[in-house]
Structures are given as C-alpha cells and as structure tokens.
Amino acid sequence: ILRPQDIENRNGGLSVLVSYDSRNNTFSPQQGILAEYRYYIFSENLGGQLDYHVQELDTQGFLNVNPEWGFAGRWLSRWVDGDAPFYAKPFITLRGIPKLRYQGDVASSVEGEVRYSPHPRWQLSAFGGVGRAANSVSDIDGAETASAYGVGFRYLIARLLGFQMGVDLARGPEDTVFYIQAGGAWLF
C-alpha cells in the first residue's frame, strides 16, 4: 500500500556513464560486446529531497558462429545505498518476471539466448535466466533464486538498418508473458 509521503518527493541528481560498445548494430545486435557502468548520485544538494546512490553494471555479449547459429548473454547487477525510494530500488530484470517484482538493495540477473536463423530474414530463439535480489551484498548468496525461460522469433523488417521485430513468450515463477519486441530484448 502506497502512502502519499512515499510518492510525493523531488529527486535531483547527476549520473556518470562509462561504456564500451563493439556491437555491430545498436537496435538488433548479432555480434560484439556492450559493457556499461552507471553511477547515479541523488542528493538534497542537487535539488532533491533524498540522499542515495545507485550503481549498475550491464554486460551483454553477442556471437554468431555461422550464418545459422548465434548466442547472446547478459549479466546485469544493480545496487543502492542511502535513503532510496521504493521505485529506485534494484529489481530482477528478466523476460518473464514483472518489473519491480523481486526487489532489494542489490539485484543481479544472468540471461542466455540461443538463436537459429533458418532464413536470412527470420530468427528463432530460446532463452532462459536466473536472478536474485537481497537487502545487502552479503545476503545475495542466500537469497531466493527466480528463474524464467521462453522462446521467440524475429523478422528483419528493415534490412538496411539491421532492425528486427518479433515476439517473445516467456514463463516466470508466477505467469506466462507475451512481449512484442522492436529490436533486441535488452535495449533498455
């Protein structure tokens, strides 16, 4: 149950981003690596009402071993310290698990995907992942593991841009979810 004081606040902050990107395409990558570290500082000194920090490490890798088969993987970790509101707390990020469902002061997830292209414009995939959320880094090993898995397909809708669209069907601990995807599943 949300109370008005939990929602009515003002956030003011700065962020730093360090990024390495060797992907062959920003929208629908098939080859390369994306590694990003983000550090967010929210403070009363920056015009907000709360003092907290959020850090995030997001690594994604894409590999095509031949024109038909490819693999992708992602490791995402977030952690927070200070007086963070509920909506800024880290959560498990996997297809098949609702956003903000499993939250804590630290959350980490790993997801893998196998891709098969029977035709240059079509791509089928199977994916799965696990994640944990806890109230501290020391508690993450004992935290409950949430898992999700699914299948999907993509169609190369804009060949010159390398832009794919498609759908994913994912099963998490509670529900089965249908996603309409524009580009890769890990864009945002």
Side-chain angles (χ1 to χ4, degrees), residues 37 103 181-182:
Y37 171 76
Q103 279 187 290
Q181 300 283 13

Side-chain angles (χ1 to χ4, degrees), residues 60-149:
Q60 303 174 20
F62 305 89
L63 175 66
N64 275 347
V65 293
N66 60 42
E68 288 86 28
W69 290 97
F71 302 94
R74 181 186 199 190
W75 172 42
L76 176 63
S77 289
R78 294 183 182 121
W79 54 101
V80 66
D81 61 66
D83 188 24
F86 74 92
Y87 54 81
K89 294 221 178 229
F91 53 88
I92 294 174
T93 304
L94 291 172
R95 287 175 277 183
I97 297 179
K99 303 286 188 208
L100 305 173
R101 172 63 179 94
Y102 298 98
Q103 279 187 290
D105 287 340
V106 61
S108 189
S109 58
V110 176
E111 187 171 11
E113 182 174 272
V114 177
R115 301 169 172 185
Y116 173 68
S117 300
H119 183 274
R121 292 194 91 131
W122 288 95
Q123 189 174 77
L124 307 172
S125 65
F127 55 87
V130 295
R132 289 182 177 176
N135 290 325
S136 70
V137 174
S138 61
D139 293 340
I140 197 85
D141 286 337
E144 179 184 350
T145 300
S147 62
Y149 58 91

